Amino acid sequence: MAAGNGPRIAVALDGAGWHPAAWREPGARPGELLTAGYWADLVREAEAAKLDFVTLEDSLALQTEQYLDRPGERTDVVQGRLDAVLIAARVAPLTSHIGLVPTAIVTHTEPFHLSKAIATLDYVSTGRAGVRVQVAGRPADNRHFGRREFGEFRLEDSATPDVPSPLSELFDEAADYVEVLRRLWDSWEDDAEIRDVATGRFVDREKLHYIDFEGRWFKVKGPSITPRPPQGQPPVTALAHAAVPYRLAARSADVVYVTPFDRTQAGEIVIAVRDEQDRAGRAAETLHVFGDVVVFLDETEQAAADRKARLDDLSGAKYTSDAHVFTGTPAGLADLLLDWQAAGLSGFRLRPGAVPHDLTAITRGLVPELRARGAFRTEYEAATLRGLLGLAKPANRYATA
Amino acid sequence: MTQPRKQIHLAAHFPGVNNTTVWSDPEAGSHIEFSSFVKLAQTAERAKFDFFFLAEGLRLREQNGEIYDLDVVGRPDTFTVLSALAAVTERLGLAGTINSTFNEPFEVARQFASLDHLSAGRAAWNVVTSWDAFTGENFRRAGFLPQDQRYSRAETFLRTAWELFDSWRGDEIAADAGTGVFLRDANAGAFAHHDEHFDIEGRFPVPRSPQGRPVIIQAGDSDEGREFAAATADAIFSRYGTLEAGQAFYTDVKGRLAKYGRTSEQLVILPAATFVLGDTDADAHERAHVVRLQQVSGQTAIKFLEQLWNADLSGYDPDGPLPDIDPVLGEHTIARGRASVRMYRDPLAMSREWRQLAEAKNLSIRELIIEVTGRQTFIGSPATVAATIDDLVQADASDGFILVPHVTPGGLDEFADKVVPLLQERGSFRTEYTGSTLREHLGLDA
């Protein structure tokens, strides 16, 4: 059975889980966070439950609790991480169906490099690559590169897309960046490699295209050095909390992760995103809106609440998040997801509070619960991430046929 | 007791964008599909090679203003392929070329440190430099580096990356759930580097990797390049695979080490080498000739000639004589994105040399190009090739070789099956891995 009428489910993997004290839980493997085996085990667990995809968090600086904090200040939380694209590539040959969506920081890296990295992830995973694009506006990130200055990055500017600000500029730059990625993915037609022994030509150069992108931040000639990836265009995803990033997602993404705190807000956000999608001229295209939810799951609501309280005690503060924090049972979470789905969300990206506990509660608790209601797949119905997301392979913008 | 034999180091280069790679062979497979990379890497690991090597390109080559279409075109991203290969191999080193001109040291260090963790200590970085604006057109800073700054940028790039690798000592992570101490050192990863090329500071986010620093490989051949390698590299990818030239290069480069406080064992010299095997030497030479004809078609010969002549020679017959016109001097513009073009320092003299050679041996354009671009290092029966390789290494013409098969991805199989056992019988090549990291394979200090 395909996904039925239920929501699509992704999990967001980050360190030992999203709670700052998660690494201290029994069963956590805090000494193994930098090993391949750790990540392979988590992604295989997600694949065994036939989840749509995993995302891998990343950042250019050491971890912080709040986005604008100074990185690396705390010694009682997980510090240090590996490049997410490389983790995804390392896990790809060990899995076969699940989508792999690493985070990439687009403010400081070259679009040419990222384009070929994601295209290659698509090759090594045979069509399961995606990418989550993220901007980096903190001074700490800038100082690692030392070549750019921009004004103060203030989160409150994210609500006003029509007012120029350092924040809105970074998002405009990100939109150009994604445009460069997509053009580079299309810069080879699918059948450019001809291996024509008779004429001695390996490629048909008429099927290779200069992208000649020229904008305020980038000037990129192309073509890519990597042929068009198996999916044509690996899905682009972005996290968005307010109008400025909604606009980026509406212009550029295939999946946007949003952060409602209740059903009403979920409905309002979907309307706001669809409105931006219309303005971007993409009303006819599929843009999935996924709700992000942090989850603490146990047999009873009380047990989940107690466990979160215990973690809060360990870290010395009540854990809050940019997203809704759910504590309860898998059945209770299934109720919430189906209710919010009815408000217009097409899927969810669940952030396990503590790994492995809350990951396995998703895969072995929530997923059977959804299946029992006919609301989640029992078998993978497609071999590619686009296929799982119901997205057809797009035509190549440069092909003339 | 006899002296133990000097141990040979071997690496496998994934064949790529050049005319050495014979794509028209019926055995040739994909240069992009991951299964091809798995096949070559697993063959190299089965044969107990030191490492797998991947080159890089950042712009498709052009000639006469058009994308060059006669050779393999296209390749995947280096880091991504190597990380994926770490999942399907256990001991094999994973080496990749990464340009120091079109990257920033922070991001490259972050990626190599990540790769070293994800491969449990098998990462190596072939540091190359570039200055050409042609490649720069794919990057946001476009235009690019004055040629005379390329080594100074490369050297500070590398030294900056080392500072980042060394910003964690390796004992900072306590991960003590009982006490709640994750990090013993609140300042772990702190770095600051300020010079004319890089002005950066902060906290490096990747804790110390298994090898501490990934293995550094270089390929520079100019005096400046050799000095840079002597000062900083763990291995050199050279182009001198013969006894005399190899010994000269070996003596020269190893002789430069002392002034940097280094010993001969701290730098491994590995010429690139191709090979053609046969049941007998005669059989191998026949096969080698067939391979040369596959590598240098008539069209390819004309394209080579155009690179020296710096002119459109498409009207010439590859089976006819060399053009009687002279090369076009001045700025070299006909071929772009090709390293080989830089070799033609005095086109007029070289064209005279080629003309004389062609007249003396009565060679057509294609025959001449086959003669002057011949790069098959080892041709012979497995016994001959094994003896040749072993003799070269024992005579200090090199410490081993980076083998470049002609055919993707199965071109190494015959070598692995027939030559490696003979090297093992001679006691010159390992029969099992004794270490788990690439540094251990290469006999380098951690």
Side-chain angles (χ1 to χ4, degrees):
Chain A
M1 176 190 103
N5 298 318
R8 294 180 163 81
I9 306 286
V11 295
L13 299 177
D14 185 16
W18 288 71
H19 194 290
W23 67 274
R24 299 176 67 177
E25 280 287 270
R29 297 155 66 185
E32 298 174 42
L33 301 177
L34 304 171
T35 66
Y38 177 79
W39 296 99
D41 288 348
L42 301 191
V43 179
R44 284 181 179 133
E45 177 69 30
E47 183 170 71
K50 305 188 168 50
L51 300 189
D52 289 78
F53 60 91
V54 295
T55 62
L56 300 161
E57 298 301 303
D58 205 351
S59 67
L60 293 173
L62 283 173
Q63 287 91 334
T64 55
E65 226 182 312
Q66 299 296 324
Y67 188 73
L68 290 176
D69 287 355
R70 270 183 37 165
E73 283 189 312
R74 289 180 61 176
T75 56
D76 64 336
V77 297
V78 168
Q79 293 289 354
R81 63 164 110 230
L82 305 178
D83 180 275
V85 175
L86 293 189
I87 293 175
R90 179 65 176 75
V91 170
L94 306 175
T95 53
S96 57
H97 281 86
I98 194 161
L100 300 167
V101 183
T103 298
I105 313 301
V106 301
T107 304
H108 298 283
T109 59
E110 292 285 349
F112 192 85
H113 288 315
L114 185 66
S115 168
K116 65 186 160 64
I118 300 300
T120 302
L121 180 62
D122 210 35
Y123 279 103
V124 303
S125 67
T126 55
R128 296 181 288 127
V131 63
R132 173 191 160 203
V133 295
Q134 184 176 28
V135 304
R138 292 180 300 192
D141 297 310
N142 296 343
R143 284 199 294 270
H144 290 171
F145 290 81
R147 66 180 191 198
R148 306 187 61 178
E149 288 298 332
F150 30 78
E152 191 190 352
F153 186 84
R154 303 183 316 160
L155 292 181
E156 55 266 37
D157 292 332
S158 65
T160 51
D162 299 320
V163 179
S165 67
L167 182 143
S168 69
E169 292 207 354
L170 280 190
F171 279 90
D172 284 344
E173 178 185 355
D176 274 8
Y177 192 106
V178 175
E179 176 67 13
V180 174
L181 293 183
R182 291 187 181 280
R183 288 197 200 182
L184 286 168
W185 288 333
D186 277 349
S187 66
W188 290 57
E189 293 183 37
D190 290 320
D191 53 355
E193 184 181 314
I194 52 172
R195 293 183 184 241
D196 187 32
V197 177
T199 61
R201 293 178 307 147
F202 181 80
V203 286
D204 178 352
R205 65 164 76 98
E206 301 301 317
K207 293 177 184 288
L208 301 178
H209 303 277
Y210 296 104
I211 69 164
D212 283 321
F213 183 90
E214 206 168 335
R216 196 172 140 203
W217 296 277
F218 309 106
K219 190 175 167 193
V220 179
K221 181 77 184 171
S224 180
I225 60 158
T226 306
R228 193 167 194 244
Q231 294 182 97
Q233 297 272 326
V236 174
T237 74
L239 174 63
H241 301 98
V244 169
Y246 294 160
R247 182 166 289 183
L248 167 69
R251 284 184 201 163
S252 303
D254 300 290
V255 180
V256 56
Y257 314 112
V258 299
T259 53
F261 286 90
D262 57 41
R263 185 188 201 278
T264 308
Q265 211 183 3
E268 289 165 0
I269 291 171
V270 169
I271 289 167
V273 170
R274 298 293 175 216
D275 183 46
E276 287 291 348
Q277 194 181 347
D278 285 346
R279 292 174 45 154
R282 290 182 67 213
E285 296 175 38
T286 300
L287 170 61
H288 283 292
V289 185
F290 275 41
D292 264 23
V293 184
V294 185
V295 298
F296 295 86
L297 298 173
D298 284 285
E299 298 282 312
T300 64
E301 284 185 29
Q302 190 61 46
D306 289 349
R307 188 163 57 88
K308 176 173 179 288
R310 186 160 49 77
L311 286 164
D312 288 350
D313 283 345
L314 282 173
S315 71
K318 184 175 185 312
Y319 174 69
T320 58
S321 170
D322 56 325
H324 177 62
V325 179
F326 176 88
T327 59
T329 64
L333 180 60
D335 291 341
L336 179 144
L337 301 187
L338 295 174
D339 185 39
W340 288 19
Q341 186 195 8
L345 297 174
S346 52
F348 294 90
R349 187 175 76 136
L350 303 178
R351 306 181 188 174
V355 167
H357 183 104
D358 293 304
L359 175 62
T360 49
I362 291 166
T363 54
R364 302 175 195 192
L366 173 70
V367 164
E369 184 68 38
L370 287 172
R371 281 184 186 143
R373 305 181 193 194
F376 199 70
R377 69 170 65 83
T378 54
E379 293 300 332
Y380 278 111
E381 70 278 10
T384 67
L385 177 55
R386 290 191 77 91
L388 294 177
L389 293 172
L391 302 166
K393 182 172 178 176
N396 189 322
R397 77 194 65 194
Y398 298 110
T400 47
Chain B
M1 198 175 112
T2 54
Q3 184 84 2
R5 290 181 75 75
K6 183 179 169 188
Q7 292 297 297
I8 298 169
H9 295 287
L10 292 174
H13 182 158
F14 189 88
V17 179
N18 52 57
N19 84 303
T20 306
T21 309
V22 179
W23 56 261
S24 58
D25 193 289
E27 299 283 306
S30 172
H31 293 78
I32 292 295
E33 301 298 332
F34 185 54
S35 55
S36 290
F37 293 86
V38 174
K39 162 78 178 164
L40 184 74
Q42 290 184 340
T43 300
E45 183 162 81
R46 171 165 65 83
K48 318 296 178 201
F49 274 35
D50 293 71
F51 62 92
F52 170 97
F53 178 79
L54 205 55
E56 189 191 37
L58 297 174
R59 176 95 193 250
L60 300 186
R61 301 181 302 163
E62 292 182 4
Q63 192 150 330
N64 287 323
E66 291 180 317
I67 289 169
Y68 195 91
D69 61 358
L70 302 180
D71 296 344
V72 169
V73 179
R75 49 175 122 216
D77 177 65
T78 301
F79 281 118
T80 314
V81 168
L82 294 180
S83 193
L85 285 175
V88 296
T89 55
E90 290 178 359
R91 300 287 191 98
L92 187 69
L94 301 165
T97 301
I98 292 293
N99 194 298
S100 65
T101 309
F102 304 108
N103 286 289
E104 297 297 322
F106 176 82
E107 63 187 327
V108 170
R110 199 174 83 90
Q111 288 168 305
F112 270 115
S114 295
L115 180 63
D116 206 42
H117 278 288
L118 291 167
S119 65
R122 299 188 277 142
W125 173 15
N126 178 38
V127 185
V128 299
T129 68
S130 175
W131 67 89
D132 68 296
F134 176 71
T135 306
E137 283 175 7
N138 281 333
F139 298 93
R140 68 172 106 190
R141 293 198 304 168
F144 245 78
L145 204 59
Q147 188 172 343
D148 60 359
Q149 279 182 29
R150 67 192 187 114
Y151 277 112
S152 90
R153 178 176 161 106
E155 184 155 356
T156 64
F157 191 108
L158 182 56
R159 292 194 184 283
T160 307
W162 278 344
E163 286 172 34
L164 297 169
F165 294 141
D166 290 348
S167 65
W168 293 71
R169 297 181 309 272
D171 59 356
E172 293 92 340
I173 293 180
D176 185 337
T179 61
V181 175
F182 187 86
L183 210 57
R184 286 193 190 95
D185 179 353
N187 214 27
F191 68 91
H193 182 100
H194 306 286
D195 68 19
E196 74 275 26
H197 293 288
F198 307 109
D199 180 17
I200 64 174
E201 61 184 46
R203 299 279 298 275
F204 189 56
V206 188
R208 194 163 183 84
S209 72
Q211 291 189 111
R213 297 171 176 182
V215 169
I216 300 297
I217 305 172
Q218 273 161 38
D221 189 34
S222 65
D223 187 58
E224 240 183 328
R226 290 180 186 203
E227 209 58 39
F228 178 35
T232 60
D234 298 306
I236 292 190
F237 192 174
S238 97
R239 31 187 204 98
Y240 303 106
T242 60
L243 183 65
E244 267 182 33
Q247 282 178 331
F249 182 82
Y250 194 97
T251 307
D252 176 76
V253 173
K254 297 234 178 185
R256 296 172 189 243
L257 292 168
K259 75 177 110 151
Y260 301 103
R262 308 180 70 203
T263 62
S264 182
E265 296 72 39
Q266 290 176 298
L267 181 63
V268 179
I269 295 179
L270 303 170
T274 60
F275 59 90
V276 180
L277 300 171
D279 292 338
T280 64
D281 288 353
D283 182 33
H285 281 279
E286 258 176 58
R287 287 176 68 179
H289 184 66
V290 172
V291 171
R292 291 302 286 145
L293 290 171
Q294 287 177 308
Q295 289 171 328
V296 185
S297 68
Q299 289 160 289
T300 298
I302 295 291
K303 294 289 181 191
F304 261 110
L305 207 63
E306 288 182 344
Q307 289 165 28
L308 177 60
W309 255 256
N310 194 23
D312 182 349
L313 302 177
S314 52
Y316 285 83
D317 177 5
D319 297 319
L322 289 187
D324 46 18
I325 56 169
D326 281 334
V328 175
L329 301 177
E331 197 189 347
H332 203 114
T333 54
I334 190 139
R336 304 207 292 171
R338 294 189 79 112
S340 60
V341 169
R342 296 199 292 271
M343 288 158 52
Y344 305 131
R345 294 236 163 85
D346 186 350
L348 217 51
M350 187 163 275
S351 70
R352 272 189 226 111
E353 214 176 281
W354 284 12
R355 202 172 275 128
Q356 282 165 10
L357 182 65
E359 278 163 17
K361 293 195 173 180
N362 192 27
L363 303 175
S364 68
I365 289 174
R366 187 181 180 195
E367 289 164 340
L368 173 88
I369 296 297
I370 286 176
E371 179 102 3
V372 299
T373 63
R375 282 187 53 202
Q376 281 158 345
T377 320
F378 304 120
I379 303 172
S381 68
T384 300
V385 169
T388 308
I389 288 175
D390 195 22
D391 290 349
L392 286 167
V393 172
Q394 301 308 326
D396 283 346
S398 80
D399 294 314
F401 293 91
I402 297 187
L403 298 172
V404 191
H406 302 118
V407 176
T408 309
L412 191 66
D413 290 17
E414 204 180 359
F415 190 95
D417 293 334
K418 295 178 178 169
V419 180
V420 167
L422 299 178
L423 295 173
Q424 289 166 334
E425 273 175 31
R426 286 172 163 257
S428 306
F429 190 68
R430 68 172 71 87
T431 52
E432 288 300 334
Y433 289 106
T434 53
S436 61
T437 68
L438 178 55
R439 282 192 179 277
E440 289 169 334
H441 301 341
L442 292 171
L444 301 166
D445 303 331

